[in-house]
């Protein structure tokens, strides 16, 4: 109890691990029963081992009706997660596409505002000194302020326009980042759910295969030369297209005996 309390007090251990998907007793009994019945029927067929003393070069995947049933049930459940994911991210994906188009236009608007501000030319010294009708006796500083005022007003408007365009661009970039994060979070959850289904299916396959090997008349040879065929992690989980299959180094799992 003290050890458990100490573990839960760790800063990175603030809750108990989640329970695996419930393996109901009815499903467990069904897997055991099918394993025993298939073993009695001699399923799967085992080819003679030419040299039992040598380790097998590679075990072939074995499929029985019950293994095929478990595999297809897992595939169906994982595909359902994909359907749910597509429905969940449909609206954010649409908003993301719209934000992307708006972002392109906002970048162009900012570029135009910056160019307009850069191309605005200040009045020359001669233009600042130029007097108009009625300004013959006006102080030169007043004349300069009058000639400079339109330029400053124009520059202030362009600067305000540039600032508005920049703020709009920042808002759109923030919106895009939030939508991308929302979609990525949904994808992570869907991937985790699909992997849980995958692992639960292999848990059931392990129970079935264990009973099959123990009751099969050629159980030792069966365990040496064959491995259970089961579901793969769907390719949509990994953008690179890599699949984690039973027996690979990346997705290796303890083989049931």
């Amino acid at each position: 109890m003290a050890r458990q309390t100490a573990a839960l007090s760790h800063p990175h251990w603030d809750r108990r691990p989640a329970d695996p998907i419930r393996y109901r007793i009815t499903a467990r009994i069904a897997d055991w029963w099918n394993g025993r019945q298939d073993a009695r029927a001699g399923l799967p067929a085992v080819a003679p081992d030419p040299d039992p003393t040598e380790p097998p070069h590679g075990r072939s995947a074995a499929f029985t009706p019950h293994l095929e049933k478990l595999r297809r049930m897992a595939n169906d459940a994982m595909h359902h997660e994909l359907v749910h994911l597509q429905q969940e991210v449909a609206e954010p994906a649409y908003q993301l596409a719209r934000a992307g188009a708006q972002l392109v236009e906002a970048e162009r608007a900012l570029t135009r505002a910056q160019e307009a501000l850069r191309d605005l030319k200040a009045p020359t010294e001669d233009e600042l000194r130029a007097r108009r009708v009625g300004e013959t006796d006006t102080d030169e500083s007043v004349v300069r302020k009058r000639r400079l005022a339109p330029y400053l007003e124009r520059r202030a408007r362009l600067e305000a326009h540039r600032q508005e365009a920049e703020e709009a661009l920042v808002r759109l970039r923030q919106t895009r980042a939030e939508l991308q994060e929302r979609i990525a979070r949904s994808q992570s959850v869907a991937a985790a759910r699909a992997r849980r289904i995958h692992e639960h299916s292999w848990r059931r396959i392990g129970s079935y295969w264990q009973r099959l090997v123990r009751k099969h008349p050629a159980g030792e040879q069966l365990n040496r030369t064959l491995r259970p065929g089961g579901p793969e992690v769907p390719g949509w989980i990994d953008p690179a297209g890599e699949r984690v299959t039973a027996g690979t180094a990346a997705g290796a799992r303890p083989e049931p005996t």
Side-chain angles (χ1 to χ4, degrees), residues 2-151:
R3 181 181 300 176
Q4 187 179 43
T5 303
L8 291 176
S9 64
H10 192 277
H12 300 295
W13 191 275
D14 56 355
R15 64 177 178 84
R16 298 179 184 278
D19 294 330
I21 296 177
R22 185 179 178 184
Y23 191 1
R24 297 182 180 276
I25 187 63
T26 52
R28 191 185 301 270
I29 292 174
D31 294 334
W32 287 343
W33 186 85
N34 279 281
R36 184 181 63 182
Q37 293 300 107
D38 287 348
R40 288 180 176 178
L43 296 176
V46 183
D49 192 349
D51 190 354
T53 62
E54 292 293 329
H57 296 292
R59 294 189 293 175
S60 302
F63 289 96
T64 64
H66 190 66
L67 284 175
E68 186 67 15
K69 172 186 174 182
L70 294 177
R71 186 175 72 89
R72 291 187 178 274
M73 286 174 59
N75 288 339
D76 178 71
M78 289 188 287
H79 278 88
H80 180 74
E81 293 299 328
L82 176 59
V83 171
H84 180 75
L85 172 64
Q86 295 296 335
Q87 293 173 342
E88 183 176 328
V89 302
E91 181 61 24
Y94 168 75
Q95 295 176 0
L96 181 61
R98 185 174 60 180
Q102 293 174 342
L103 192 60
V104 172
E105 183 56 35
E107 290 173 345
R108 292 174 180 172
L110 178 59
T111 300
R112 290 193 297 267
Q114 291 172 337
E115 290 176 350
L117 189 61
R118 185 174 59 250
D119 295 341
L120 180 64
K121 297 185 181 300
T124 63
E125 190 65 24
D126 291 340
E127 291 173 339
L128 291 175
R129 291 179 178 179
R131 295 175 181 269
R132 296 178 182 176
V133 178
E135 295 181 342
T136 305
D137 299 327
T138 305
D139 187 83
E140 183 178 352
S141 61
V142 175
V143 173
R144 293 177 66 90
K145 288 181 180 179
R146 288 176 178 177
R147 301 294 87 82
L148 190 60
Y151 164 78

Side-chain angles (χ1 to χ4, degrees), residues 185-206:
R185 188 163 52 247
S186 296
Q187 291 172 339
S188 297
V189 171
R193 289 175 61 91
R195 288 186 181 277
R196 292 194 72 196
I197 294 170
H198 177 264
E199 293 301 319
H200 177 71
S201 298
W202 274 103
R203 186 181 177 194
R204 292 194 61 179
I205 290 172

Side-chain angles (χ1 to χ4, degrees), residues 56-61 209 222-228 255-257:
H57 296 292
R59 294 189 293 175
S60 302
W209 192 257
L222 169 66
N223 194 52
R224 277 176 46 83
T225 58
L226 296 177
R227 58 180 174 84
E255 296 287 354
T257 57

Side-chain angles (χ1 to χ4, degrees), residues 191-251:
R193 289 175 61 91
R195 288 186 181 277
R196 292 194 72 196
I197 294 170
H198 177 264
E199 293 301 319
H200 177 71
S201 298
W202 274 103
R203 186 181 177 194
R204 292 194 61 179
I205 290 172
S207 295
Y208 163 82
W209 192 257
Q210 183 182 58
R211 182 57 59 96
L212 177 71
V213 169
R214 288 179 176 177
K215 298 297 182 180
H216 199 282
E220 181 179 356
Q221 185 176 344
L222 169 66
N223 194 52
R224 277 176 46 83
T225 58
L226 296 177
R227 58 180 174 84
E232 297 179 348
V233 175
W236 57 266
I237 290 181
D238 188 349
E242 298 178 359
R243 293 173 179 264
V244 181
T245 58
T248 62

